[in-house]
Amino acid sequence: MTSEPSTDTGTLFLHPDRNLAMELVRATEAAAIRAWPFIGRGDKNAADGAAVDAMRKFLGTVNFDGVIVIGEGEKDRAPMLFNGETVGNRRGPACDIAVDPIDGTSLTAAGRQNAISVIAVSDRGTMLDASSVFYMDKIVSGPAGHGVLDLERPIGDNIRALAKALGKPVGEMTVAVLDRPRHIQLIDDIRATGAGTRLMLDGDVAGGINAARYETRIDLCVGIGGSPEGITTACAIKALGGFMQARLAPGTDDEREKAKDAGLDLDAVMDANQMVKGDNSFFVATGVTDGGLVDGVRRKGPIIRTESIVLRSRSGTIRRVIAEHLVEKWLDEVPAS
């Protein structure tokens, strides 16, 4: 896909390049820093609102022509960063954008771990628009899952097959799953194999990524989570060389009709390459609270410290960005430690 040439420069930009990722980090850092004063304060809407406002302002300065395919969306009734909104200064490549200023607003409000600020980017027209269906069923692992796992198989069979591929006893397997009433039977089935569970209160993007990373204790991430989070996770999985399958899981007849009108196949089991086409996707995340993926925002005297992770599918690289920000350049809202 190509973008329109900038009227200011006359230059034709074709695809997002590696420099774009570092610009996007500024937006996730801003969202995380603005959300930080609200950690543990019990007001998830205030935290989310601050993060949304900060991310949107920074995205407006980025050299790209972005259209939000996965945004705050109808579910959050967001006035900004909504599906279909254009972002960027329109002087760069044409991109599809997935944003989640805080994946884990409830975690942030409660002061719990694993809240992150996220942006994913791919070439224009390559990111699946699944906004008409709020949820999808997914299974995610590292590279060992290729040719081994299948979303349509019983969870016990998948756990045993992956354990064999990893060369480890089933009893040493750890499976991440959202702690929701809809997963009661799934959790029982996982434990019946002898595997352990890592129950997530929220934040299944981090759960999926950790399942695909070799140095974590999570071997598999399964269950029904948000479809926006699923598409975002797919961008990261492509960069990690991991395995992912998903199927849309509408909860109402109205959602089924909307999906049908949007041309979505509710029976299709999709892999990461079908959710995000091509080999030029980016995933950027900054920690809001501490977690297994990245550390959260911290203040050290006059400095605010952030940690971010940057993944790029084309090069298959993982970069960590540690940044120190002068408090005086940022905000009056950041309290002294």
Side-chain angles (χ1 to χ4, degrees):
M1 304 296 291
T2 61
S3 67
E4 294 295 326
S6 167
T7 56
D8 293 335
T9 65
T11 302
L12 183 64
F13 295 89
L14 297 178
H15 302 287
D17 65 16
R18 58 191 176 191
N19 296 321
L20 177 60
M22 299 311 297
E23 289 196 67
L24 296 173
V25 167
R26 296 169 58 242
T28 56
E29 287 173 345
I33 290 171
R34 291 295 190 183
W36 181 66
F38 299 97
I39 294 173
R41 303 299 176 91
D43 190 342
K44 68 176 186 178
N45 291 329
D48 192 49
V52 168
D53 183 59
M55 180 176 283
R56 187 172 186 269
K57 287 178 179 176
F58 270 78
L59 283 176
T61 70
V62 174
N63 290 315
F64 73 157
D65 179 8
V67 173
I68 295 178
V69 177
I70 304 294
E72 287 287 272
E74 181 182 344
K75 182 167 62 174
D76 295 321
R77 298 179 180 177
M80 295 187 294
L81 297 180
F82 53 84
N83 296 359
E85 183 177 359
T86 58
V87 292
N89 62 16
R90 303 182 67 84
R91 295 178 183 174
C95 303
D96 286 347
I97 312 295
V99 299
D100 198 343
I102 306 180
D103 179 38
T105 53
S106 296
L107 299 177
T108 302
R112 296 193 174 104
Q113 293 190 335
N114 293 316
I116 56 177
S117 178
V118 176
I119 297 175
V121 174
S122 64
D123 291 322
R124 177 69 54 81
T126 59
M127 192 176 290
L128 177 68
D129 181 358
S131 57
S132 58
V133 180
F134 290 157
Y135 295 105
M136 62 170 49
D137 195 5
K138 68 177 183 305
I139 183 168
V140 186
S141 79
H146 289 287
V148 172
L149 298 175
D150 187 338
L151 183 65
E152 297 189 299
R153 294 173 64 190
I155 186 61
D157 290 351
N158 277 319
I159 292 172
R160 286 184 285 270
L162 184 59
K164 182 178 180 181
L166 291 171
K168 63 192 297 185
V170 170
E172 294 182 8
M173 296 286 287
T174 300
V175 182
V177 58
L178 283 170
D179 189 4
R180 298 288 189 272
R182 62 179 176 265
H183 290 150
I184 290 175
Q185 186 60 55
L186 176 61
I187 293 167
D188 287 345
D189 291 343
I190 292 168
R191 292 172 176 168
T193 69
T197 54
R198 180 72 59 85
L199 299 184
M200 302 178 293
L201 295 174
D202 208 342
D204 59 333
V205 172
I209 295 171
N210 281 329
R213 294 169 60 225
Y214 71 89
E215 70 267 36
T216 72
R217 296 181 180 179
I218 296 174
D219 301 294
L220 189 63
C221 184
V222 297
I224 296 174
S227 57
E229 290 82 357
I231 303 300
T232 303
T233 301
C235 285
I237 298 305
K238 287 166 67 70
L240 292 167
F243 170 86
M244 181 175 185
Q245 285 184 341
R247 178 170 50 209
L248 295 170
T252 66
D253 290 339
D254 182 56
E255 276 196 326
R256 292 184 184 89
E257 286 301 316
K258 287 182 178 179
K260 181 179 179 181
D261 291 343
L264 297 173
D265 184 352
L266 296 178
D267 296 320
V269 174
M270 301 172 287
D271 62 23
N273 290 319
Q274 290 168 308
M275 289 184 276
V276 183
K277 298 176 182 178
D279 68 345
N280 196 35
S281 61
F282 295 82
F283 175 92
V284 177
T286 299
V288 178
T289 60
D290 286 344
L293 186 62
V294 283
D295 288 338
V297 179
R298 299 180 184 181
R299 175 165 177 182
K300 301 291 184 181
I303 298 297
I304 301 171
R305 181 185 182 276
T306 58
E307 182 181 8
S308 305
I309 188 169
V310 179
L311 310 176
R312 188 186 184 200
S313 65
R314 176 163 290 174
S315 58
T317 53
I318 304 173
R319 290 184 170 87
R320 290 189 178 274
V321 180
I322 307 296
E324 293 184 349
H325 315 260
L326 282 174
V327 173
E328 65 185 52
K329 299 291 185 180
W330 269 93
L331 38 118
D332 296 330
E333 304 98 291
V334 173
S337 57

